[in-house]
Amino acid sequence: MTSKLGERVVVHAPAKVNLELRVGPLQDDGYHPLVSVFQAVSLFEEVVASTTASGTGISVTVRGPGAAQVPTDGSNLAVRAARLLAERAGVEPAAHLSLRKAAPVAGGMAGGSADAAATLLACDLLWDAGLSREELLALAAELGSDVPFALVGGTALGTGRGDRVTPVLARGEFHWVLALAETGLSTPAVYAEHDRLVAAAAAVPDLEPRVSDDLAAALLAGDPVSLGACLSNDLQAAALSLRPELRAVVRLGEEHGALGILLSGSGPTVALLASGSDQALELAVALTASGVAADVRRVTGPVPGARQVESAAVSPLHPSRRGR
Ligand code: ATP
């Protein structure tokens, strides 16, 4: 490790919305085969990794909305990411991580995964570990299914458990309004409800779920109207069953002509697709005035994955890695 006291690395990583999420049947290992198209949006988690006076151990502080619900022990995804990187790179795990949350905690936007992705990149730079992009992606996949995407960003197809990520060509910029809920939803609880609904309907989910060809065509054309028509999330019924009040958000979006409305990931965040910035503003005002959402954000996508944004003491050894 060559980092000196007082050095710090600042990395931003984006939250995501799922444009399409298809869930296969529950497998014996407790997982569901998934296929999803992710889009990274302009809601950025910030991780500042810095050297510490003690020169040993990983500590973390968290601020921003929902910070009180984020663990600050070894279960924090950012701490796990730093420790995993140190172990594999053969360096002493010594850093303080300062997290600034922007994504809602347990909101279905993979904020914790973005923290982990940002931490991998920040600690790689802070410790001068020199891991390749492929090595960082492999560590990301070990940490969690959404972590590789937060490194890659853009618009991408996720397969397996969502951990194998292939970029998808998307033209233009899409305008989203996010309706945030007061409290998060547990991902395992949403999957359990999904399994219950599937069993009750005697439905047989596809063992190899596929995303629609129409979605890829809409992204390629950069056409928000076509995209809005093919947004779809297999977990939406389960989340609405657990949180019936989310129906009010969907109704309001429909009344105000949103091009598409869908649950992000396992919720409870609902993403509304607008035709442009004017309609996004109109939807955001309507949502705020109605009080059906605890908080409302306007974002755009796609945006890049985790990247260094500013550093107090950039290592002169790797100037070319800035902005990676
Ligand atoms: P997922 O769909 O992957 O569960 P999510 O976006 O719904 O993600 P996150 O905010 O990423 O939810 O985190 C889910 C849980 O993980 C939280 O309830 C929290 O207890 C735990 N957690 C661990 N580390 C973090 C972190 N750095 N930020 C947020 N939550 C974290």
Side-chain angles (χ1 to χ4, degrees):
M1 187 174 113
T2 58
S3 53
K4 298 181 191 70
L5 189 61
E7 284 194 59
R8 59 183 216 130
V9 176
V10 186
V11 173
H12 283 182
K16 57 82 184 168
V17 293
N18 300 79
L19 309 181
E20 185 167 359
L21 177 59
R22 296 283 172 218
V23 180
L26 181 63
Q27 302 296 286
D28 291 342
D29 62 3
Y31 284 90
H32 300 76
L34 293 181
V35 63
S36 179
V37 177
F38 304 103
Q39 183 159 92
V41 294
S42 58
L43 195 62
F44 293 101
E45 299 282 286
E46 182 180 270
V47 172
V48 182
S50 51
T51 49
T52 57
S54 67
T56 180
I58 304 293
S59 56
V60 65
T61 49
V62 186
R63 62 205 167 94
Q69 300 147 45
V70 177
T72 51
D73 58 12
S75 69
N76 188 297
L77 270 168
V79 175
R80 288 181 47 213
R83 288 185 177 153
L84 182 67
L85 177 78
E87 181 199 313
R88 297 299 163 79
V91 301
E92 183 70 23
H96 177 72
L97 305 172
S98 173
L99 273 49
R100 184 168 54 82
K101 304 284 310 170
V105 176
M109 297 196 70
S113 301
D115 296 341
T119 301
L120 285 176
L121 183 54
C123 287
D124 180 63
L125 294 169
L126 184 74
W127 296 334
D128 200 16
L131 267 65
S132 67
R133 186 174 170 79
E134 286 64 36
E135 287 168 325
L136 289 177
L137 280 168
L139 294 186
E142 278 187 52
L143 287 162
S145 52
D146 290 337
V147 185
F149 176 69
L151 274 179
V152 172
T155 306
L157 177 71
T159 50
R161 292 171 187 170
D163 55 336
R164 288 195 295 273
V165 173
T166 315
V168 170
L169 201 55
R171 285 206 175 84
E173 184 181 53
F174 296 97
H175 293 261
W176 297 95
V177 179
L178 304 172
L180 275 49
E182 184 69 49
T183 50
L185 261 177
S186 145
T187 302
V190 175
Y191 274 93
E193 179 66 2
H194 170 75
D195 292 336
R196 191 187 71 75
L197 293 176
V198 166
V204 185
D206 198 342
L207 191 57
E208 288 184 15
R210 284 166 43 84
V211 294
S212 74
D213 294 338
D214 290 350
L215 184 83
L219 287 166
L220 189 60
D223 175 7
V225 175
S226 315
L227 182 65
C230 46
L231 298 173
S232 174
N233 182 343
D234 282 351
L235 295 176
Q236 186 149 327
L240 290 176
S241 165
L242 295 175
R243 283 283 171 85
E245 60 269 32
L246 293 178
R247 291 180 197 282
V249 176
V250 176
R251 259 196 314 273
L252 190 130
E254 285 168 353
E255 282 162 18
H256 285 81
L259 299 180
I261 306 162
L262 95 166
L263 185 82
S264 183
S266 55
T269 304
V270 176
L272 298 90
L273 182 62
S275 54
S277 56
D278 288 352
Q279 196 200 11
L281 182 59
E282 191 189 314
L283 284 167
V285 168
L287 277 169
T288 307
S290 69
V292 295
D295 202 355
V296 178
R297 302 280 161 80
R298 278 184 295 143
V299 296
T300 58
V303 297
R307 64 193 196 283
Q308 187 179 15
V309 289
E310 167 258 321
S311 177
V314 177
S315 166
L317 295 173
H318 293 292
S320 63
R321 287 212 247 144
R322 295 191 67 184
R324 179 169 63 176

